[in-house]
Amino acid sequence: MMLKIDLHVHTIYSYDALITPKELVFYAKKRGLDGVAITDHDRIDGALKIAKETDFLVVPGVEISSLNGHIIGLNVDELVPPKLSVDETLDRIHEAGGIAIACHPITFFKESLKGHISPRFDAIEVINSSAFPFNYSVRHTEKIASRLGIARVAGSDAHYGPEIGYAYTLVNAESEVGGVVDAIRKGLCSPHGKAIPLTMRFKKELLLLKRKFS
Ligand SMILES: [Zn+2]
Ligand SMILES: [Zn+2]
């Protein structure tokens, strides 16, 4: 079956995100998604806990701060530490049974891999709804994906509930974590989506500021 999954979502377990476990499922369903991947910054405890506590399809993951940019590990059974080289981070993700995604490789204001993408990645995030400038980022990432011939995925990089689902990956798999991850590894997936509107991004920044000073 074709599953609609946002493969890049942050929860309150990320220092810079507002999404509670309840909001995660609420907005994902509201957006018509079949599942989400939780990819908090350098921690996996929240993702594993939420995945266990809900019936909704949650792929546990982590967004790792490697020395040369952010890398998503999906379905890893242990935490891969930050500040390792790209190659070592990829080794650790694969040893932990997961797949590695080069997220937002070409964008400003995020830790991007740029020249460090290689065919050792299992997939590349062609569409990231939070990337800036959005069209430039999609165009250049698409070029790299065709050159390397690796699977293409998409995610919203949501840090605020209403941002969930602005991008999603269609995955041809049964509705369970192992099947989804295998399908992505085989390239049985395609990226879809658009940019998060600027007004929504400003609202998120205001809410984050409010949280910081309250
Ligand atoms: Zn990132
Ligand atoms: Zn992210």
Side-chain angles (χ1 to χ4, degrees), residues 11 13-14 38 40-52 60-62 79:
T11 72
Y13 290 90
S14 288
I38 297 179
D40 288 312
H41 295 287
D42 299 308
R43 53 189 292 190
I44 196 159
D45 52 336
L48 291 172
K49 186 170 185 288
I50 297 168
K52 213 177 280 171
V62 53
L79 186 64

Side-chain angles (χ1 to χ4, degrees), residues 81-134:
K83 295 192 169 59
L84 298 176
S85 70
V86 172
D87 272 326
E88 203 172 346
T89 306
L90 292 174
D91 286 342
R92 298 277 196 112
I93 291 172
H94 291 143
E95 280 162 20
I99 58 168
I101 301 174
C103 54
H104 55 67
I106 308 290
T107 183
F108 297 109
F109 311 122
K110 289 181 191 285
E111 298 293 320
S112 302
L113 289 162
K114 297 182 191 77
H116 291 89
I117 314 161
S118 73
R120 290 199 63 211
F121 282 88
D122 300 283
I124 181 163
E125 188 184 63
V126 169
I127 301 174
N128 174 301
S129 300
S130 311
F132 183 84
F134 180 74

Side-chain angles (χ1 to χ4, degrees), residues 121-193:
F121 282 88
D122 300 283
I124 181 163
E125 188 184 63
V126 169
I127 301 174
N128 174 301
S129 300
S130 311
F132 183 84
F134 180 74
N135 291 329
Y136 171 90
S137 161
V138 174
R139 204 166 54 237
H140 283 265
T141 311
E142 181 68 50
K143 271 187 204 159
I144 298 169
S146 341
R147 198 178 65 224
L148 298 178
I150 52 179
R152 296 164 164 82
V153 297
S156 63
D157 208 351
H159 286 68
Y160 168 46
E163 296 177 333
I164 293 172
Y166 266 85
Y168 57 89
T169 308
L170 282 181
V171 186
N172 190 356
E174 293 305 312
S175 183
E176 46 93 23
V177 173
V180 167
V181 169
D182 275 345
I184 296 170
R185 200 183 269 127
K186 290 178 189 152
L188 301 173
C189 55
S190 58
H192 303 270

Side-chain angles (χ1 to χ4, degrees), residues 56-74:
F56 193 68
L57 176 63
V58 171
V59 181
V62 53
E63 182 169 6
I64 306 153
S65 308
S66 86
L67 280 178
N68 298 99
H70 289 171
I71 297 172
I72 286 179
L74 289 186

